[in-house]
Amino acid sequence: MKKCVFHIGFLVILMLCSSCVSRGVREAQEVVAQADSLWHDGQMYGVDAGDSATLAQAYETLDKSTAFCRRIREIFPFVHRTSSLGTYSHACYHYGRLLREKDDPVAAMQAFINAIHSHTGDYHILGRVYSNMGSICHLAGEFPLSYDMYERCADMYLQNGDTLLYYYGLNNMAFELAEQNKEAETKHLLDTITNSCSDKNVLSLVSLTKAALYTNLNQFDSVLLITQSVSLSDYAPASTYALKAHALWNTGLTDSALMYANLVMELPDASKQDKYNMLFILINGDSTLDNEALLQLSGERSDIEFEILNPLHHKVTIAVELLKADMKKSSYRRYIYLIMVLVVLFLSILCYYTIRLKNRRKQGLQLLQEAQEERAKYRENRLQEMENLCNTLSQSASLQDEIQWKDFSRMCQIIDKQFNCLANKLKRKNVLNETEIRLCVLVLIGLSRKDISSTLPYSLNGIGKLKDHTAKSLGTTGKNLREFLLKMAIEG
């Protein structure tokens, strides 16, 4: 009774635990759904609405609940994707974005890496994830790696059928090439976009990428022409005026450079890096500033450098190292899985051929056994036929006429025809004379010693001696001579 109560209690506890786990997962999925909704409205969960701790908890819950599915998908990519993996990838993306907003690119990178390893089929979310990873790599100055991430991002958008975002991805790739001063490759990629895309915002970004390329190549007149064109369009981000101020500064147009530098400092979308660069122009180009203003601007520039840019660069460098380590690990893992697949394939082939060989042996033994049984049956039937024939001949009153006893050659032909070439077989042995062959024929037919004696003719005592001598010549005994002759006749 106590055991029964214990088991029932244990089952109840398990059911409660499973319900708690299920409830926790459902709550986490609801949080992710809310984050998706805010995201589509241009807001961020944990910043514009919702609690960052709630999103973190949802991320951790889904990370634990999908661990087994992710491991199975990692080993066996052909296994059907579950909806929980898609929800988990969204949780990774939203949490990674939140961590970037909270100035923690290292943890954000890990969240994005986990999204990649979720093996989700949501190519749009994967494109967003790769885009963020590319942005972090760019901030660390890892332009080739950033290009790789943006290339994967563009591929995800293309697989998702989103051509507009695909062109944004191509432009990001071109920007990373421009940072590496790869003029021909950058222009080729930008031409690909301009020949296929008509979206004004994308084309404006293409122009800014080209301006960044010319900036790196010190072709500042081209930069001024491009930035002037972009500034007249509906889409002109702060980087447009930052590039223009930099070009004006390098062409000696200090007053114009100062004007645009001041403009960038007032724009809300200006990055810290752009402001840092513009402060250099303001400090070194504005002769009207007094010492106090210069100290203030220098202090502001130092604050940006040491409190924001340098710490950020340190963090994003660690984040990139985390990405590199994961890529290396993933590469090793792919080799391991490939080896595992090859081993399994080899063992499968080996098992297949082993089973096939075993079946062939079994079939061969079965066929051999059937052949032996058939042969034994044939021998038995043939033996019975010969015994019947011998019995008929031995009881015949005209035996000598039937086998043409007096004509040895004719007799041999008849015996060969009726007893499977027995006479010819005896001749080929070259150990018997005509009388001994005749004796063998009579012994085979089954005549008694007396009948043999009268047929040959030979004395009874002589028949015994002749039979023993003949048998010895054939390698048997007088007692077994008839059995020996029957066997010789049956065995072809």
Side-chain angles (χ1 to χ4, degrees), residues 85 104 351:
L85 294 179
D104 190 356
C351 289

Side-chain angles (χ1 to χ4, degrees), residues 163 240 262 339 433:
T163 54
T240 307
N262 280 306
I339 292 171
N433 56 33

Side-chain angles (χ1 to χ4, degrees), residues 42-201:
Q43 297 178 312
M44 182 181 294
Y45 192 98
V47 176
D48 300 303
D51 181 28
S52 58
T54 304
L55 181 59
Q57 183 60 49
Y59 166 76
E60 291 177 4
T61 300
L62 292 172
D63 182 67
K64 292 176 182 177
S65 66
T66 61
F68 179 74
C69 292
R70 284 183 281 126
R71 181 58 57 87
I72 294 297
R73 281 280 306 160
E74 194 169 10
I75 299 174
F76 304 107
F78 51 83
V79 174
H80 180 68
R81 297 184 179 98
T82 61
S83 59
S84 60
L85 294 179
T87 305
Y88 173 67
S89 66
H90 279 246
C92 293
Y93 170 70
H94 293 308
Y95 189 52
R97 284 286 312 281
L98 178 62
L99 289 169
R100 284 198 69 185
E101 186 69 22
K102 299 293 184 180
D103 198 27
D104 190 356
V106 178
M109 180 64 82
Q110 185 60 64
F112 294 138
I113 290 171
N114 290 342
I116 301 302
H117 291 318
S118 69
H119 302 284
T120 178
D122 190 336
Y123 295 117
H124 180 81
I125 205 70
L126 289 176
R128 297 282 182 177
V129 167
Y130 277 122
S131 178
N132 277 270
M133 294 167 82
S135 175
I136 293 173
C137 293
H138 176 83
L139 292 173
E142 295 281 350
F143 305 128
L145 184 57
S146 180
Y147 175 88
D148 182 35
M149 293 299 106
Y150 282 129
E151 184 177 30
R152 298 186 190 194
C153 165
D155 182 59
M156 292 297 108
Y157 288 143
L158 187 62
Q159 290 192 57
N160 195 52
D162 195 330
T163 54
L164 182 61
L165 289 178
Y166 170 68
Y167 292 128
Y168 276 109
L170 290 184
N171 179 71
N172 289 332
M173 290 166 58
F175 192 84
E176 300 309 314
L177 291 174
E179 292 285 40
Q180 300 172 66
N181 294 342
K182 294 183 177 181
E183 183 177 3
E185 294 91 331
T186 304
K187 288 182 176 179
H188 174 73
L189 206 51
L190 294 177
D191 289 341
T192 301
I193 300 171
T194 54
N195 291 334
S196 306
C197 181
S198 58
D199 185 83
K200 293 181 179 180
N201 290 342

